[in-house]
Amino acid sequence: MPRSERAARPGAVHVPVTAAALSQWCWVWPALQRRARPGPGRERSGHKHTHTLAVRETRAGGWGPDPVPSSPRAQGRKAAMSLLSRALPALRLYCIGLAVILHQLLRRLRPGGPPAPAFPTQNGNVAIVTGGAKGIGYHTVKHLARLGMHVIIAGNDESEGREAVRKMEEETVNGKVEFLHCDLASMKSIRQFVQQFRAKNCPLHVLVNNAGVMLVPERKTEDGFEEHFGLNYLGHFLLTNLLLETLKQSGTHSHNARVITVSSATHYVGRLHLNDLQSRYSYSPHEAYAQSKLALVLFTYQLQHLLTVDGSHVTANVVDPGVVNTELYKNVCWAAKVVKWMIAWLFLKTPEEGASTSIYAAVSPELEGVGGIYLYNEQRTKSTDVSYDEELQQRLWTESCKMTRISDVASRNL
């Protein structure tokens, strides 16, 4: 049994037909796919034909050195593989998106449907929600505040954050909402945010790692990391680790503190390239985004393992909001934008619907003491097989500690 499952209470695992099954179909043309991604690690085979490409892929996604083409035919083949390397990640991503959209439509057309859950009040509890000024994060903040929580929005847009707080105050929510600046693309900004939060001398019962970017053009964070990996994953990795001691002090045996990390179904088609986490050798925004979402799942399972070993009263779970009509899709191609505009009202979830699983993971009594699980539509779901690879979880954690300059020894002895 994977250790990420050991901390969870027994129960039925719901596997969505669309995401889990069709993700397997998305790996089309496996032979071509293995050749498609250039980069470090390709090796020349011992085959007698000098132009034959033999690719050895390691479990972590490594590749051997590229053979040097010696003829126009070999150069043409390399150009075709380069084109394929750009097309395949996009194809896989849109396939999994289509699968989830169809599942959402069938669920919406199903008569009846489950009633909206009623959660207990959270008076006196404190939560941090990254990216809480708009989209899924905004509705997560609003619902938690209505339950009586003191919610802190962590975001990088001051005016947007203040406007979100003003709107919530007008809606007379029960709890307190405030904004603190935190740019997840900057390690310095994350550390400053944690210092500001600690200065308040308040507990922390819920951390929702919600913020993210999708399909951005190739660019770097302030610290030189590829933006999907640096902001979506490394920023939340550092933030969680810096707040972990406060979470541990706030959790109790009867009321565990909770870390909720928002991933997506794209993790099913993601591949983790441990020797090229920054996508330096071949950049695809689709592949970079999927990798960052897979990294978040691996991180959550490793975090839960470390918390369980330590006996801490903190749980870590990962949630999948589905395909939601938010500004996250602003970087998709124009054709995809047109399709989204035409079908969003029927096929896509609203931001409020997208927030439901995050809210459920944050406050549901059913998840008290339960950690290391993947949730989709408020149901426990199997994530991709590679996410349960304990060695890969640990290797990613160790590499992430090096990148963020935090002690791996401390994390192992949490």
Side-chain angles (χ1 to χ4, degrees):
M1 177 182 294
R3 68 187 182 198
S4 58
E5 296 289 335
R6 292 174 192 159
R9 293 175 182 168
V13 177
H14 168 70
V15 181
V17 173
T18 52
L22 289 187
S23 67
Q24 302 302 318
W25 179 84
C26 290
W27 293 89
V28 292
W29 306 323
L32 289 176
Q33 178 192 350
R34 287 193 297 271
R35 299 178 179 208
R37 190 177 190 274
R42 286 195 174 178
E43 293 184 339
R44 186 188 304 271
S45 72
H47 197 281
K48 62 182 179 180
H49 298 297
T50 58
H51 302 309
T52 299
L53 298 181
V55 182
R56 174 181 56 81
E57 182 178 4
T58 67
R59 177 167 58 176
W63 304 83
D66 237 352
V68 178
S70 55
S71 69
R73 183 178 178 182
Q75 292 175 353
R77 182 187 299 166
K78 184 175 181 180
M81 291 301 103
S82 177
L83 180 62
L84 188 61
S85 71
R86 295 173 182 270
L88 279 177
L91 176 62
R92 292 195 298 267
L93 201 70
Y94 289 125
C95 281
I96 199 69
L98 177 61
V100 175
I101 287 173
L102 291 175
H103 182 267
Q104 290 177 179
L105 177 63
L106 293 174
R107 192 169 186 262
R108 182 167 292 176
L109 296 178
R110 194 179 303 152
F119 300 119
T121 58
Q122 303 291 313
N123 296 327
N125 287 352
V126 180
I128 293 175
V129 180
T130 66
K134 58 184 179 181
I136 295 172
Y138 177 87
H139 289 279
T140 302
V141 171
K142 186 166 72 171
H143 200 109
L144 295 180
R146 282 178 174 170
L147 292 172
M149 270 194 180
H150 171 192
V151 189
I152 297 170
I153 297 173
N156 63 352
D157 190 319
E158 193 86 18
S159 60
E160 192 174 67
R162 302 298 179 192
E163 177 63 17
V165 172
R166 184 192 65 78
K167 286 170 62 179
M168 291 186 199
E169 288 176 344
E170 286 181 356
E171 295 175 8
T172 62
V173 294
N174 299 324
K176 176 184 177 183
V177 180
E178 61 177 307
F179 174 84
L180 287 179
H181 183 269
C182 180
D183 183 358
L184 288 167
S186 165
M187 301 292 171
K188 179 180 178 181
S189 177
I190 294 169
R191 294 180 184 276
Q192 289 174 341
F193 168 83
V194 173
Q195 289 177 351
Q196 285 183 286
F197 175 76
R198 287 176 177 166
K200 294 179 176 291
N201 293 316
C202 64
L204 178 60
H205 302 93
V206 174
L207 170 62
V208 183
N209 293 321
N210 167 82
V213 294
M214 184 174 79
L215 307 186
V216 296
E218 185 173 11
R219 59 194 185 200
K220 306 295 183 183
T221 67
E222 179 181 296
D223 304 282
F225 301 117
E226 188 279 316
E227 188 166 348
H228 292 99
F229 190 80
L231 192 156
N232 294 358
Y233 169 67
L234 276 182
H236 285 122
F237 176 88
L238 177 60
L239 178 67
T240 302
N241 274 278
L242 295 180
L243 292 171
L244 209 49
E245 190 60 36
T246 305
L247 285 160
K248 290 167 61 179
Q249 293 171 359
S250 305
T252 65
H253 177 73
S254 59
H255 191 85
N256 282 214
R258 305 184 185 191
V259 178
I260 294 92
T261 299
V262 180
S263 181
S264 81
T266 57
H267 93 276
Y268 285 106
V269 295
R271 291 188 296 171
L272 191 74
H273 301 282
L274 274 176
N275 62 342
D276 187 23
L277 292 171
Q278 308 307 321
S279 304
R280 292 189 178 96
Y281 293 94
S282 177
Y283 181 76
S284 161
H286 304 83
E287 188 165 19
Y289 177 69
Q291 176 180 245
S292 72
K293 291 302 180 179
L294 173 59
L296 288 170
V297 181
L298 290 160
F299 154 68
T300 299
Y301 293 165
Q302 176 68 2
L303 174 60
Q304 182 59 56
H305 166 68
L306 296 172
L307 292 167
T308 302
V309 169
D310 184 59
S312 300
H313 298 306
V314 183
T315 59
N317 291 310
V318 60
V319 301
D320 177 351
V323 180
V324 186
N325 188 14
T326 68
E327 295 180 11
L328 197 61
Y329 298 92
K330 62 184 179 182
N331 292 307
V332 299
C333 65
W334 67 268
K337 288 180 180 178
V338 171
V339 172
K340 174 180 173 289
W341 177 78
M342 292 190 302
I343 69 170
W345 65 276
L346 178 61
F347 290 88
L348 273 59
K349 288 184 179 181
T350 65
E352 187 171 8
E353 290 172 330
S356 62
T357 304
S358 295
I359 297 162
Y360 173 80
V363 298
S364 173
E366 297 175 5
L367 293 182
E368 183 56 52
V370 178
I373 61 174
Y374 186 94
L375 294 163
Y376 173 63
N377 287 334
E378 298 90 54
Q379 292 183 327
R380 183 173 161 181
T381 303
K382 184 180 182 296
S383 55
T384 188
D385 289 342
V386 74
S387 66
Y388 299 106
D389 185 329
E390 296 174 8
E391 182 183 346
L392 190 57
Q393 294 168 15
Q394 186 173 351
R395 291 177 65 190
L396 175 63
W397 184 281
T398 299
E399 192 64 29
S400 302
C401 288
K402 294 177 184 177
M403 292 178 175
T404 55
R405 298 187 180 93
I406 62 174
S407 172
D408 192 22
V409 174
S411 64
R412 286 200 302 268
N413 299 314
L414 222 53

